């Protein structure tokens, strides 16, 4: 049976854009939302837009998480902790959770160019602390603009900064993300580095507001490098 990818909080701009692009790449997507009818309506609209044999379902966040092997968390920071508490008992063992959360002050009424302090160090580390044992948290996708994800006329050409404590988990997340044409994943180290990659969102919001664009990140000096070498042979 083909794997299913949950996009939790998937009715927002980032979630819908990701669902659209991953479904077009052939992935089976389950859009999650606080309200199942809203997720189902979004799934129906995307299926109509893509056509063909696009596999896109909708469910409430808990039902979406319970049936998927990989989940992408695309909720505002203000809702992250509550959602993770709700999902604690429903995850499949071994689920990879790709956390895109950014602790922007805007989520609590402050400025979008200011990052909130998180006791654990980053939103991703908070997610890892709240996830049950066996659920693998990887941090990624903070520097790709949500409007760009949703604009299929815009060709992507940027790097995705990936952080996590196990290289195998990061490799699995990167393999999924790179199903989207134009995205290249770069291993940025352990999950604690997410405190830096998350803050780049605020920087890009400042740049984009100043220049009226949707800038992303591209790291130089990596062309020709094997960014995700296969794991060592067990033989």
């Amino acid at each position: 049976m083909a794997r299913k990818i949950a996009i939790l909080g998937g009715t927002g701009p980032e979630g819908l854009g990701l669902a659209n692009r991953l479904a077009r790449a052939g992935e089976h997507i389950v859009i999650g939302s606080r309200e199942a009818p809203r997720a189902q309506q979004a799934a129906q609209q995307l299926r109509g837009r893509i056509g063909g044999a696009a596999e896109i379902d909708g469910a409430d966040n808990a039902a979406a998480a319970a049936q998927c092997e990989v989940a992408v968390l695309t909720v505002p920071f203000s809702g992250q902790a509550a959602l993770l508490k709700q999902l604690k008992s429903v995850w499949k063992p071994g689920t990879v959770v790709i956390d895109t959360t950014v602790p922007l002050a805007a989520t609590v009424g402050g400025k979008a160019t200011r990052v909130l302090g998180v006791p654990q160090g980053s939103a991703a580390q908070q997610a890892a602390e709240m996830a049950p044992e066996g659920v693998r948290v990887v941090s990624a996708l903070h520097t790709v603009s949500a409007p760009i994800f949703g604009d299929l006329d815009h060709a992507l050409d940027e790097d995705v900064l990936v952080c996590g404590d196990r290289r195998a988990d990061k490799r699995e997340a990167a393999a999924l993300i790179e199903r989207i044409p134009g995205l290249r994943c770069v291993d940025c180290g352990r999950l604690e580095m997410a405190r830096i990659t998350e803050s780049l969102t605020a920087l890009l919001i400042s740049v984009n507001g100043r220049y009226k664009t949707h800038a992303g990140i591209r790291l130089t000096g990596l062309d020709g490098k094997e960014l995700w070498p296969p794991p060592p042979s067990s033989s």
Side-chain angles (χ1 to χ4, degrees):
M1 182 181 295
R3 69 178 176 179
K4 295 181 180 181
I5 312 298
I7 310 292
L8 306 178
T11 56
E14 182 179 23
L16 283 176
L18 268 172
N20 195 342
R21 289 185 184 259
L22 286 172
R24 290 174 187 273
E27 296 290 346
H28 187 159
I29 302 300
V30 183
I31 295 175
S33 179
R34 285 179 294 181
E35 301 173 354
R38 185 179 180 191
Q40 291 160 357
Q41 181 181 25
Q44 182 180 15
Q45 290 173 344
L46 274 186
R47 287 195 303 268
R49 199 178 307 166
I50 297 173
E55 293 186 286
I56 310 173
D57 303 317
D60 63 68
N61 283 316
Q67 61 184 293
C68 294
E69 294 76 26
V70 181
V72 186
L73 199 59
T74 63
V75 296
F77 179 68
S78 57
Q80 186 206 45
L83 178 58
L84 288 170
K85 287 179 182 177
Q86 177 191 356
L87 300 180
K88 193 161 188 177
S89 63
V90 306
W91 296 114
K92 286 185 177 182
T95 297
V96 172
V97 176
I98 302 173
D99 184 61
T100 74
T101 312
V102 179
L104 292 176
T107 64
V108 293
K111 294 183 177 180
T113 52
R114 184 171 298 164
V115 178
L116 298 171
V118 183
Q120 293 85 348
S122 66
Q125 287 170 291
Q126 175 174 276
E129 184 178 281
M130 297 186 70
E133 186 176 355
V135 171
R136 303 170 287 156
V137 175
V138 175
S139 172
L141 291 168
H142 304 99
T143 59
V144 184
S145 168
I148 291 300
F149 267 134
D151 181 6
L152 296 179
D153 292 330
H154 185 101
L156 298 173
D157 181 26
E158 54 190 280
D159 289 337
V160 174
L161 311 179
V162 182
C163 305
D165 288 337
R166 294 181 68 249
R167 187 164 178 81
D169 301 343
K170 291 183 283 187
R171 187 184 290 112
E172 187 172 344
L176 172 65
I177 293 167
E178 289 183 346
R179 296 273 288 158
I180 299 175
L183 295 184
R184 181 182 69 169
C185 290
V186 178
D187 187 346
C188 291
R190 296 184 64 82
L191 197 64
E192 65 183 12
M193 297 303 294
R195 70 187 189 278
I196 298 172
T197 58
E198 290 173 6
S199 67
L200 291 176
T201 299
L203 173 68
L204 288 174
I205 289 172
S206 178
V207 170
N208 291 336
R210 188 162 283 107
Y211 292 101
K212 310 304 179 189
T213 186
H214 295 293
I217 297 290
R218 188 73 177 177
L219 300 180
T220 63
L222 295 178
D223 290 344
K225 302 289 185 181
E226 189 174 13
L227 297 183
W228 299 97
S233 174
S234 58
S235 60

Coordinates of all heavy atoms in Angstrom, one line a residue, residues 152-235:
L152 N 1.5 28.0 -8.7 CA 2.2 27.0 -9.5 C 2.8 27.6 -10.8 O 3.6 26.9 -11.4 CB 1.1 26.0 -9.9 CG 0.5 25.1 -8.8 CD1 -0.5 24.2 -9.3 CD2 1.6 24.4 -8.0
D153 N 2.5 28.8 -11.1 CA 3.2 29.5 -12.2 C 4.6 29.9 -11.8 O 5.4 30.3 -12.7 CB 2.4 30.7 -12.7 CG 1.1 30.3 -13.4 OD1 1.0 29.2 -13.9 OD2 0.1 31.1 -13.3
H154 N 4.9 29.9 -10.5 CA 6.2 30.3 -10.0 C 7.1 29.1 -9.9 O 6.8 28.2 -9.1 CB 6.1 31.0 -8.7 CG 7.4 31.5 -8.2 ND1 7.8 32.9 -8.3 CD2 8.5 30.9 -7.6 CE1 9.0 33.0 -7.8 NE2 9.4 31.9 -7.3
A155 N 8.2 29.0 -10.7 CA 9.1 27.9 -10.6 C 10.0 28.0 -9.4 O 10.6 29.1 -9.2 CB 9.9 27.8 -11.9
L156 N 10.0 27.0 -8.6 CA 10.9 27.0 -7.4 C 12.3 26.8 -7.8 O 12.6 26.0 -8.7 CB 10.4 26.0 -6.4 CG 9.0 26.2 -5.9 CD1 8.6 24.9 -5.0 CD2 8.9 27.4 -5.0
D157 N 13.2 27.5 -7.0 CA 14.7 27.3 -7.3 C 15.4 27.7 -6.0 O 16.0 28.8 -6.0 CB 15.1 28.1 -8.5 CG 16.6 27.9 -8.7 OD1 17.2 26.8 -8.3 OD2 17.2 28.8 -9.3
E158 N 15.3 26.9 -4.9 CA 15.9 27.3 -3.7 C 16.2 26.1 -2.8 O 15.8 25.0 -3.1 CB 15.0 28.3 -2.9 CG 13.5 27.9 -2.7 CD 12.7 29.0 -2.2 OE1 12.7 29.3 -1.0 OE2 11.9 29.6 -3.0
D159 N 16.9 26.4 -1.7 CA 17.3 25.3 -0.8 C 16.3 25.3 0.4 O 15.8 26.3 0.8 CB 18.7 25.6 -0.3 CG 19.8 25.3 -1.4 OD1 19.5 24.6 -2.3 OD2 20.9 25.9 -1.3
V160 N 16.2 24.1 0.9 CA 15.4 23.8 2.1 C 16.4 23.4 3.2 O 17.1 22.4 3.0 CB 14.3 22.8 1.9 CG1 13.6 22.4 3.2 CG2 13.3 23.2 0.8
L161 N 16.4 24.1 4.3 CA 17.4 23.8 5.4 C 16.7 22.8 6.3 O 15.7 23.1 6.9 CB 17.7 25.1 6.1 CG 18.1 26.3 5.2 CD1 18.4 27.5 6.0 CD2 19.3 25.9 4.3
V162 N 17.4 21.7 6.5 CA 16.8 20.5 7.2 C 17.6 20.3 8.5 O 18.9 20.1 8.4 CB 16.8 19.3 6.3 CG1 16.1 18.1 7.1 CG2 16.0 19.5 5.0
C163 N 17.0 20.2 9.6 CA 17.6 19.9 10.9 C 17.0 18.7 11.6 O 15.8 18.5 11.5 CB 17.5 21.1 11.8 SG 18.2 22.7 11.2
G164 N 17.8 17.9 12.2 CA 17.2 16.8 12.9 C 18.4 16.0 13.6 O 19.5 16.1 13.3
D165 N 18.0 15.2 14.6 CA 19.0 14.5 15.4 C 19.4 13.2 14.8 O 20.4 12.6 15.3 CB 18.5 14.3 16.8 CG 18.4 15.6 17.6 OD1 19.1 16.5 17.3 OD2 17.6 15.6 18.6
R166 N 18.7 12.7 13.8 CA 19.1 11.4 13.1 C 19.2 11.6 11.6 O 18.3 12.1 11.0 CB 18.1 10.3 13.4 CG 18.1 9.9 14.9 CD 17.1 8.7 15.2 NE 17.6 7.5 14.6 CZ 17.0 6.9 13.5 NH1 15.9 7.5 13.0 NH2 17.4 5.8 13.0
R167 N 20.3 11.3 11.1 CA 20.5 11.5 9.6 C 19.5 10.8 8.8 O 19.0 11.2 7.8 CB 21.9 11.2 9.2 CG 22.2 11.6 7.8 CD 23.7 11.6 7.4 NE 24.0 11.9 6.1 CZ 24.0 13.1 5.5 NH1 23.8 14.2 6.3 NH2 24.2 13.3 4.3
A168 N 19.1 9.6 9.2 CA 18.2 8.8 8.5 C 16.8 9.5 8.4 O 16.1 9.4 7.4 CB 18.0 7.4 9.1
D169 N 16.4 10.1 9.5 CA 15.2 10.9 9.5 C 15.2 12.0 8.6 O 14.3 12.3 7.8 CB 14.9 11.4 10.9 CG 14.8 10.2 12.0 OD1 14.6 9.1 11.5 OD2 14.8 10.5 13.2
K170 N 16.3 12.8 8.6 CA 16.5 13.9 7.7 C 16.5 13.5 6.2 O 15.9 14.1 5.4 CB 17.8 14.7 8.0 CG 17.8 15.4 9.4 CD 19.0 16.2 9.6 CE 20.2 15.3 10.1 NZ 21.4 16.1 10.5
R171 N 17.1 12.3 6.0 CA 17.2 11.8 4.6 C 15.8 11.5 4.1 O 15.4 11.8 3.0 CB 18.1 10.6 4.6 CG 18.3 10.1 3.1 CD 19.2 8.8 3.1 NE 20.5 9.0 3.5 CZ 21.1 8.6 4.7 NH1 20.3 7.9 5.5 NH2 22.3 8.9 4.9
E172 N 15.0 10.9 5.0 CA 13.6 10.5 4.6 C 12.8 11.8 4.4 O 12.0 11.8 3.4 CB 13.0 9.7 5.7 CG 11.6 9.1 5.4 CD 11.1 8.1 6.4 OE1 11.9 7.7 7.3 OE2 9.9 7.8 6.4
A173 N 12.9 12.8 5.2 CA 12.2 14.0 5.0 C 12.6 14.7 3.7 O 11.8 15.2 2.9 CB 12.4 15.0 6.2
A174 N 13.9 14.7 3.5 CA 14.5 15.4 2.3 C 14.0 14.7 1.0 O 13.7 15.3 0.0 CB 16.0 15.4 2.3
A175 N 13.9 13.4 1.0 CA 13.4 12.6 -0.1 C 12.0 13.0 -0.5 O 11.7 13.1 -1.7 CB 13.5 11.1 0.1
L176 N 11.2 13.2 0.5 CA 9.8 13.7 0.2 C 9.8 15.1 -0.3 O 9.2 15.4 -1.3 CB 9.0 13.6 1.5 CG 7.6 14.2 1.4 CD1 6.7 13.5 0.4 CD2 6.9 14.3 2.7
I177 N 10.5 16.0 0.4 CA 10.5 17.4 0.0 C 11.0 17.6 -1.4 O 10.5 18.4 -2.2 CB 11.3 18.3 1.0 CG1 10.6 18.3 2.4 CG2 11.5 19.7 0.5 CD1 11.5 18.8 3.5
E178 N 12.1 16.8 -1.8 CA 12.6 17.0 -3.1 C 11.8 16.4 -4.2 O 12.2 16.4 -5.4 CB 14.1 16.4 -3.1 CG 15.0 17.3 -2.3 CD 16.5 16.8 -2.3 OE1 16.7 15.6 -2.7 OE2 17.4 17.5 -2.0
R179 N 10.7 15.8 -3.9 CA 9.7 15.4 -4.9 C 9.1 16.6 -5.5 O 8.5 16.5 -6.6 CB 8.6 14.6 -4.2 CG 9.0 13.2 -3.6 CD 9.0 12.1 -4.7 NE 7.6 11.8 -5.0 CZ 7.2 11.2 -6.1 NH1 8.1 10.9 -7.1 NH2 6.0 10.9 -6.3
I180 N 9.2 17.8 -4.9 CA 8.7 19.0 -5.4 C 9.8 19.6 -6.3 O 10.9 19.9 -5.8 CB 8.4 20.0 -4.3 CG1 7.2 19.4 -3.4 CG2 7.9 21.4 -4.9 CD1 6.9 20.3 -2.2
P181 N 9.6 19.8 -7.6 CA 10.7 20.3 -8.5 C 11.2 21.6 -8.0 O 10.4 22.5 -7.6 CB 10.0 20.4 -9.8 CG 8.9 19.4 -9.8 CD 8.4 19.4 -8.3
G182 N 12.5 21.8 -8.0 CA 13.1 23.1 -7.7 C 13.5 23.3 -6.3 O 14.1 24.3 -6.0
L183 N 13.2 22.3 -5.4 CA 13.7 22.3 -4.0 C 14.8 21.4 -3.8 O 14.8 20.2 -4.2 CB 12.5 22.0 -3.1 CG 11.3 22.9 -3.1 CD1 10.3 22.5 -2.0 CD2 11.8 24.4 -2.8
R184 N 15.9 21.9 -3.2 CA 17.1 21.1 -2.9 C 17.2 21.2 -1.4 O 17.3 22.2 -0.8 CB 18.3 21.7 -3.6 CG 19.6 20.9 -3.3 CD 20.8 21.5 -3.9 NE 21.2 22.8 -3.3 CZ 22.4 23.4 -3.6 NH1 23.2 22.8 -4.5 NH2 22.7 24.5 -3.0
C185 N 17.3 20.0 -0.7 CA 17.5 20.0 0.7 C 18.9 19.9 1.1 O 19.8 19.2 0.5 CB 16.7 18.7 1.3 SG 14.9 18.9 1.2
V186 N 19.3 20.6 2.2 CA 20.6 20.7 2.7 C 20.6 20.3 4.2 O 19.8 20.8 5.0 CB 21.2 22.1 2.6 CG1 22.6 22.2 3.2 CG2 21.2 22.5 1.1
D187 N 21.4 19.4 4.6 CA 21.5 19.0 6.0 C 22.2 20.0 6.8 O 23.4 20.3 6.6 CB 22.3 17.6 6.0 CG 22.3 17.0 7.4 OD1 22.0 17.7 8.4 OD2 22.7 15.8 7.5
C188 N 21.5 20.6 7.7 CA 22.1 21.7 8.5 C 22.4 21.3 9.9 O 22.7 22.2 10.8 CB 21.1 22.9 8.6 SG 20.9 23.7 7.0
G189 N 22.4 20.0 10.2 CA 22.8 19.6 11.5 C 21.7 19.1 12.4 O 20.6 18.8 12.0
R190 N 22.0 19.1 13.7 CA 21.1 18.6 14.7 C 19.9 19.5 14.9 O 19.8 20.6 14.4 CB 21.8 18.4 16.0 CG 22.9 17.4 16.0 CD 23.6 17.1 17.4 NE 22.6 16.6 18.3 CZ 22.3 15.3 18.4 NH1 22.9 14.4 17.6 NH2 21.4 14.9 19.3
L191 N 18.9 19.0 15.5 CA 17.6 19.7 15.7 C 17.8 21.0 16.4 O 17.1 22.0 16.2 CB 16.6 18.8 16.5 CG 15.1 19.3 16.3 CD1 14.6 19.1 14.9 CD2 14.3 18.4 17.3
E192 N 18.8 21.2 17.2 CA 19.1 22.4 18.0 C 19.4 23.6 17.0 O 19.2 24.7 17.3 CB 20.2 22.2 19.0 CG 21.5 21.9 18.3 CD 22.6 21.7 19.4 OE1 22.3 21.5 20.6 OE2 23.8 21.7 19.0
M193 N 19.8 23.2 15.8 CA 20.1 24.3 14.8 C 18.8 24.9 14.3 O 18.9 26.0 13.6 CB 20.9 23.7 13.6 CG 22.3 23.2 14.0 SD 23.3 24.5 14.8 CE 23.5 25.6 13.5
A194 N 17.7 24.3 14.6 CA 16.4 24.9 14.1 C 16.2 26.3 14.7 O 15.4 27.1 14.1 CB 15.2 24.0 14.5
R195 N 16.8 26.6 15.8 CA 16.6 27.9 16.4 C 17.1 29.0 15.4 O 16.6 30.1 15.5 CB 17.3 28.0 17.8 CG 18.8 28.0 17.7 CD 19.4 27.9 19.1 NE 20.9 28.1 19.0 CZ 21.7 27.2 18.8 NH1 21.3 26.0 18.5 NH2 23.0 27.5 18.7
I196 N 18.1 28.6 14.6 CA 18.6 29.5 13.6 C 17.8 29.5 12.3 O 17.4 30.6 11.8 CB 20.1 29.2 13.3 CG1 20.9 29.3 14.6 CG2 20.6 30.1 12.2 CD1 22.4 28.9 14.5
T197 N 17.5 28.3 11.8 CA 16.8 28.2 10.6 C 15.4 28.8 10.7 O 14.8 29.4 9.8 CB 16.7 26.8 10.1 OG1 16.1 25.9 11.0 CG2 18.1 26.3 9.8
E198 N 14.7 28.6 11.9 CA 13.4 29.2 12.1 C 13.4 30.7 12.0 O 12.5 31.4 11.5 CB 12.8 28.7 13.4 CG 12.4 27.2 13.4 CD 12.0 26.7 14.8 OE1 11.9 27.6 15.7 OE2 11.8 25.5 14.9
S199 N 14.5 31.3 12.6 CA 14.6 32.8 12.7 C 14.8 33.4 11.3 O 14.5 34.6 11.1 CB 15.7 33.2 13.6 OG 17.0 32.8 13.1
L200 N 15.3 32.6 10.3 CA 15.5 33.1 9.0 C 14.1 33.5 8.4 O 14.1 34.4 7.5 CB 16.2 32.1 8.1 CG 17.7 31.8 8.5 CD1 18.2 30.7 7.6 CD2 18.5 33.1 8.4
T201 N 13.0 32.9 8.8 CA 11.7 33.3 8.3 C 11.5 34.8 8.6 O 11.0 35.5 7.7 CB 10.6 32.5 8.9 OG1 10.8 31.1 8.6 CG2 9.2 32.9 8.4
A202 N 11.8 35.2 9.8 CA 11.6 36.7 10.1 C 12.5 37.5 9.3 O 12.0 38.6 8.8 CB 11.9 36.9 11.6
L203 N 13.7 37.1 9.0 CA 14.6 37.9 8.2 C 14.0 38.0 6.8 O 14.0 39.1 6.2 CB 15.9 37.2 8.1 CG 17.0 37.7 7.1 CD1 17.4 39.1 7.6 CD2 18.2 36.8 7.0
L204 N 13.5 36.9 6.2 CA 13.0 36.9 4.8 C 11.7 37.7 4.8 O 11.5 38.4 3.7 CB 12.7 35.5 4.3 CG 14.0 34.7 4.0 CD1 13.6 33.2 3.7 CD2 14.8 35.3 2.9
I205 N 10.9 37.7 5.8 CA 9.7 38.6 5.8 C 10.1 40.0 5.7 O 9.5 40.8 5.0 CB 8.9 38.3 7.1 CG1 8.2 36.9 7.0 CG2 7.8 39.4 7.3 CD1 7.5 36.5 8.3
S206 N 11.2 40.4 6.4 CA 11.7 41.8 6.4 C 12.2 42.1 5.0 O 11.9 43.2 4.4 CB 12.8 42.0 7.4 OG 13.3 43.3 7.3
V207 N 12.9 41.2 4.4 CA 13.5 41.4 3.0 C 12.3 41.5 2.0 O 12.3 42.4 1.2 CB 14.5 40.3 2.7 CG1 14.8 40.4 1.2 CG2 15.7 40.4 3.5
N208 N 11.4 40.6 2.1 CA 10.3 40.6 1.1 C 9.4 41.8 1.2 O 8.9 42.3 0.2 CB 9.5 39.3 1.3 CG 10.3 38.0 0.9 OD1 11.2 38.1 0.1 ND2 9.9 36.9 1.5
G209 N 9.2 42.3 2.5 CA 8.4 43.5 2.6 C 9.1 44.7 2.0 O 8.5 45.6 1.4
R210 N 10.4 44.7 2.2 CA 11.2 45.9 1.7 C 11.3 45.9 0.1 O 11.2 47.0 -0.5 CB 12.6 45.8 2.3 CG 13.5 47.0 2.0 CD 14.6 47.1 3.0 NE 14.2 47.6 4.3 CZ 14.1 46.8 5.4 NH1 14.4 45.5 5.3 NH2 13.7 47.3 6.6
Y211 N 11.4 44.7 -0.4 CA 11.6 44.6 -1.9 C 10.4 44.1 -2.7 O 10.4 44.0 -3.9 CB 12.8 43.7 -2.2 CG 14.1 44.3 -1.8 CD1 14.7 43.9 -0.6 CD2 14.7 45.4 -2.5 CE1 15.9 44.5 -0.2 CE2 15.9 45.9 -2.1 CZ 16.5 45.5 -0.9 OH 17.7 46.0 -0.5
K212 N 9.3 43.9 -1.9 CA 8.0 43.5 -2.6 C 8.3 42.2 -3.5 O 8.0 42.2 -4.7 CB 7.4 44.6 -3.5 CG 7.3 45.9 -2.8 CD 6.5 45.8 -1.5 CE 6.4 47.2 -0.8 NZ 5.8 47.1 0.6
T213 N 8.8 41.2 -2.8 CA 9.1 40.0 -3.5 C 8.9 38.8 -2.6 O 8.3 38.9 -1.5 CB 10.6 40.0 -4.1 OG1 10.8 38.9 -4.9 CG2 11.6 40.0 -2.9
H214 N 9.3 37.6 -3.0 CA 9.2 36.4 -2.2 C 10.6 35.7 -2.3 O 10.7 34.6 -2.9 CB 8.1 35.5 -2.7 CG 6.7 36.1 -2.6 ND1 6.1 36.3 -1.4 CD2 5.9 36.5 -3.5 CE1 4.9 36.8 -1.6 NE2 4.7 36.9 -2.9
A215 N 11.6 36.3 -1.6 CA 12.9 35.8 -1.7 C 13.0 34.5 -0.9 O 12.3 34.2 0.1 CB 13.9 36.8 -1.1
G216 N 14.0 33.6 -1.3 CA 14.3 32.4 -0.6 C 15.7 32.3 -0.3 O 16.5 33.3 -0.4
I217 N 16.2 31.1 0.0 CA 17.6 30.8 0.4 C 18.2 29.9 -0.6 O 17.6 28.9 -1.0 CB 17.7 30.2 1.8 CG1 17.1 31.1 2.9 CG2 19.1 29.7 2.1 CD1 17.9 32.3 3.1
R218 N 19.4 30.3 -1.0 CA 20.2 29.4 -1.9 C 21.7 29.4 -1.4 O 22.3 30.5 -1.3 CB 20.2 29.8 -3.3 CG 20.8 28.9 -4.3 CD 19.9 27.6 -4.6 NE 20.5 26.7 -5.5 CZ 20.0 25.6 -5.9 NH1 18.9 25.2 -5.3 NH2 20.6 24.8 -6.8
L219 N 22.2 28.2 -1.0 CA 23.5 28.2 -0.5 C 24.5 27.9 -1.6 O 24.3 27.0 -2.4 CB 23.6 27.0 0.6 CG 22.7 27.2 1.8 CD1 22.9 26.0 2.7 CD2 23.0 28.5 2.5
T220 N 25.6 28.6 -1.6 CA 26.6 28.5 -2.7 C 27.7 27.4 -2.2 O 27.8 27.1 -1.1 CB 27.3 29.8 -2.9 OG1 28.0 30.2 -1.8 CG2 26.3 30.9 -3.3
G221 N 28.4 27.0 -3.2 CA 29.5 26.0 -2.9 C 29.1 24.6 -2.8 O 30.0 23.7 -2.5
L222 N 27.8 24.3 -3.0 CA 27.4 22.9 -2.8 C 27.1 22.2 -4.2 O 26.9 21.0 -4.1 CB 26.1 22.9 -2.0 CG 26.2 23.4 -0.6 CD1 24.8 23.4 0.1 CD2 27.2 22.5 0.2
D223 N 27.2 22.9 -5.3 CA 27.0 22.2 -6.6 C 28.0 21.1 -6.7 O 29.2 21.3 -6.5 CB 27.1 23.2 -7.7 CG 25.9 24.2 -7.7 OD1 24.9 23.9 -7.0 OD2 26.0 25.2 -8.4
G224 N 27.6 20.0 -7.2 CA 28.4 18.8 -7.4 C 28.7 18.0 -6.1 O 29.3 16.9 -6.2
K225 N 28.2 18.5 -5.0 CA 28.4 17.7 -3.7 C 27.3 16.7 -3.6 O 26.2 16.9 -4.0 CB 28.4 18.6 -2.5 CG 29.4 19.7 -2.5 CD 30.8 19.2 -2.3 CE 31.8 20.4 -2.2 NZ 33.2 19.9 -2.0
E226 N 27.6 15.5 -3.0 CA 26.6 14.5 -2.7 C 26.0 14.9 -1.4 O 26.5 14.6 -0.3 CB 27.2 13.1 -2.7 CG 26.2 12.0 -2.6 CD 26.8 10.6 -2.7 OE1 28.0 10.5 -2.6 OE2 26.0 9.7 -2.9
L227 N 24.8 15.6 -1.4 CA 24.2 16.1 -0.2 C 23.6 15.1 0.7 O 23.5 15.2 1.9 CB 23.2 17.2 -0.6 CG 23.8 18.4 -1.3 CD1 22.7 19.4 -1.6 CD2 24.9 19.0 -0.6
W228 N 23.1 14.0 0.1 CA 22.5 12.9 0.9 C 23.0 11.6 0.5 O 22.3 10.8 -0.2 CB 20.9 13.0 0.7 CG 20.4 14.3 1.1 CD1 20.1 15.4 0.4 CD2 20.1 14.7 2.5 NE1 19.7 16.4 1.2 CE2 19.6 16.0 2.4 CE3 20.2 14.0 3.7 CZ2 19.3 16.7 3.6 CZ3 19.8 14.7 4.8 CH2 19.3 16.0 4.8
P229 N 24.2 11.3 0.9 CA 24.8 10.0 0.5 C 24.0 8.8 1.2 O 23.4 9.0 2.2 CB 26.2 10.1 1.1 CG 26.1 11.1 2.2 CD 25.1 12.1 1.7
P230 N 24.0 7.7 0.5 CA 23.2 6.6 1.0 C 23.8 6.1 2.3 O 25.0 6.3 2.6 CB 23.4 5.5 0.0 CG 24.6 5.9 -0.8 CD 24.7 7.4 -0.8
P231 N 23.0 5.5 3.2 CA 23.6 5.0 4.5 C 24.6 3.9 4.3 O 24.6 3.2 3.3 CB 22.3 4.5 5.2 CG 21.3 4.2 4.1 CD 21.6 5.2 3.1
P232 N 25.5 3.8 5.2 CA 26.6 2.7 5.1 C 25.9 1.3 4.9 O 24.9 1.0 5.5 CB 27.4 2.8 6.4 CG 27.1 4.2 6.9 CD 25.7 4.5 6.4
S233 N 26.5 0.5 4.1 CA 26.0 -0.8 3.9 C 26.2 -1.6 5.2 O 27.2 -1.5 6.0 CB 26.8 -1.6 2.8 OG 26.4 -2.9 2.7
S234 N 25.1 -2.5 5.6 CA 25.2 -3.3 6.8 C 26.0 -4.6 6.6 O 26.1 -5.3 7.5 CB 23.8 -3.6 7.2 OG 23.1 -4.3 6.2
S235 N 26.4 -4.8 5.3 CA 27.1 -6.1 5.1 C 28.6 -6.0 5.5 O 29.1 -4.9 5.7 CB 27.0 -6.4 3.6 OG 27.6 -5.4 2.8

